[in-house]
Amino acid sequence: MEGPYLGIIVPNAFEMNPLLQSGTFVPDHKLPYLDFSGRRFRIGRLRNEKVIVAMTGLSMLNAGTATHLLLSLFKVKGVLHYGIAGNANPKLQIGDVTIPQFWAHTGLWNGQRYGDGPEDGLALESNGDHTREIGYLRVSDYNSSTQCNISSENLLNNVWYQPEEIFPVDGDPELRRHAFWVLVNHLYLAIAEIKGLRLGGCVNGTCLPRPEMVVRVERGISSNMFVDNRAYREFFNSKFNATAIHMERAAVALVCHQQNMPFIAFRSLSDLAGGGSALSNEASLFAALAAQNAVDVLIGFTSLIPESKTKIK
């Protein structure tokens, strides 16, 4: 009855606490939170916006469940998501905050039968359940004996990436559609050019090479995998042009897409996902800095949202 609210979705407590302790978030004095179905929805204000903050927990399932509960229980006009992420783009550095335009779930696969190739149909492809349109990962390309682009056979063969089946709120029940790249809200993206924001760059005397940036990038990806592997990171960057890699955001994007709810995400880079530089594999050292940078960008963004009592289209 007090809505509409901005929903703020955050994966973990160490990413949520900097927001709650920022002094900018002010809990509602009458009802500071609502506990429901194992979740706590924190109600308050962030600057001039009424907000509800929800922690998802790790993984796509938890993120999707928390987002769906948020949109079902409250009157929400838009969803903001923030947190840390692995970095697949070597041109960026730890601490930079990325704002991807598109998000995809890259953990829905069709593992092709050994001996079949790109010209052979996939199981259940003729029924429309699976597709070869997105592309595949040929496991044999990453055998340690691979040389001169000649790869030996691998029993795992090819892994084909698949779109999600979705059922839009304004569609016919049980009539499925498919979605792979999900676009963030165009108005949110247009106003997300946050300038003049000074972000943190040092932890315990260890400082990053240059000042951190807020960067709008093309693509971010999610799956139930923590990527700390250089080969897989380079595959995602070269084949999908992905920058931010993590384990929740695509689930939030897909739920919002199905519910016709505006959303955007801010992901601060905490490591190079196994990239092998002097600053890679440093998530344990830089996670707190990255989380704070993501919070600072989130707070800066809320001040740019036009005042509205209805959902932003």
Side-chain angles (χ1 to χ4, degrees):
M1 293 176 63
E2 300 293 331
Y5 296 89
L6 277 176
I8 298 178
I9 295 289
V10 56
N12 296 303
F14 83 89
E15 295 164 307
M16 179 176 65
N17 287 338
L19 175 63
L20 302 182
Q21 298 167 3
S22 66
T24 308
F25 173 78
V26 180
D28 186 87
H29 68 282
K30 292 182 179 179
L31 185 65
Y33 62 86
L34 172 68
D35 291 342
F36 183 84
S37 192
R39 309 281 177 177
R40 173 159 291 185
F41 297 90
R42 302 172 189 270
I43 305 167
R45 282 187 172 271
L46 190 62
R47 290 191 167 170
N48 295 323
E49 291 284 349
K50 292 181 179 180
V51 298
I52 296 177
V53 182
M55 188 184 79
T56 68
L58 196 68
S59 83
M60 296 280 289
L61 174 61
N62 277 323
T65 299
T67 305
H68 193 270
L69 283 173
L70 171 73
L71 300 184
S72 299
L73 293 172
F74 302 97
K75 186 177 182 180
V76 176
K77 65 178 181 179
V79 172
L80 313 182
H81 174 70
Y82 78 91
I84 66 172
N87 177 24
N89 184 351
K91 296 180 180 179
L92 299 179
Q93 73 171 22
I94 292 171
D96 288 343
V97 180
T98 62
I99 307 174
Q101 181 179 2
F102 293 94
W103 290 92
H105 176 208
T106 55
L108 188 58
W109 296 350
N110 182 304
Q112 195 171 27
R113 179 178 302 186
Y114 177 70
D116 286 352
E119 302 305 319
D120 297 301
L122 304 177
L124 302 180
E125 182 178 356
S126 60
N127 295 336
D129 295 333
H130 297 120
T131 179
R132 285 172 288 159
E133 292 182 359
I134 296 169
Y136 65 98
L137 168 67
R138 186 167 62 178
V139 177
S140 59
D141 284 347
Y142 295 89
N143 289 345
S144 60
S145 60
T146 299
Q147 294 180 352
C148 302
N149 296 322
I150 300 175
S151 57
S152 58
E153 292 185 341
N154 189 299
L155 293 176
L156 292 176
N157 200 17
N158 301 321
V159 174
W160 292 83
Y161 291 88
Q162 301 299 313
E164 288 277 1
E165 287 187 356
I166 63 169
F167 298 87
V169 65
D170 54 357
D172 294 328
E174 299 183 351
L175 181 61
R176 68 180 179 180
R177 301 180 190 176
H178 290 93
F180 189 70
W181 292 113
V182 179
L183 178 65
V184 305
N185 179 260
H186 70 280
L187 176 58
Y188 283 170
L189 186 66
I191 65 177
E193 189 172 356
I194 303 171
K195 298 179 179 179
L197 187 62
R198 188 171 182 177
L199 301 174
C202 298
V203 177
N204 297 330
T206 301
C207 295
L208 295 161
R210 60 159 173 77
E212 279 59 47
M213 305 185 300
V214 182
V215 186
R216 285 189 290 188
V217 298
E218 185 175 3
R219 294 174 177 177
I221 56 177
S222 307
S223 68
N224 285 326
M225 174 188 287
F226 185 94
V227 178
D228 194 22
N229 181 279
R230 179 171 183 167
Y232 205 35
R233 190 254 314 169
E234 291 178 347
F235 170 81
F236 279 132
N237 184 248
S238 63
K239 300 300 183 181
F240 288 107
N241 192 27
T243 296
I245 303 176
H246 52 90
M247 302 174 68
E248 295 87 23
R249 183 59 191 118
V252 181
L254 284 161
V255 171
C256 289
H257 181 51
Q258 292 193 97
Q259 297 295 317
N260 194 26
M261 179 62 58
F263 73 95
I264 195 168
F266 312 98
R267 280 282 182 164
S268 183
L269 306 175
S270 61
D271 61 275
L272 198 53
S277 76
L279 293 175
S280 68
N281 304 322
E282 297 292 349
S284 59
L285 176 61
F286 290 101
L289 179 147
Q292 184 62 59
N293 285 353
V295 168
D296 291 343
V297 171
L298 171 82
I299 293 172
F301 176 79
T302 57
S303 66
L304 302 175
I305 300 176
E307 292 188 11
S308 174
K309 294 184 178 180
T310 59
K311 185 191 299 184
I312 295 176
K313 300 296 186 179

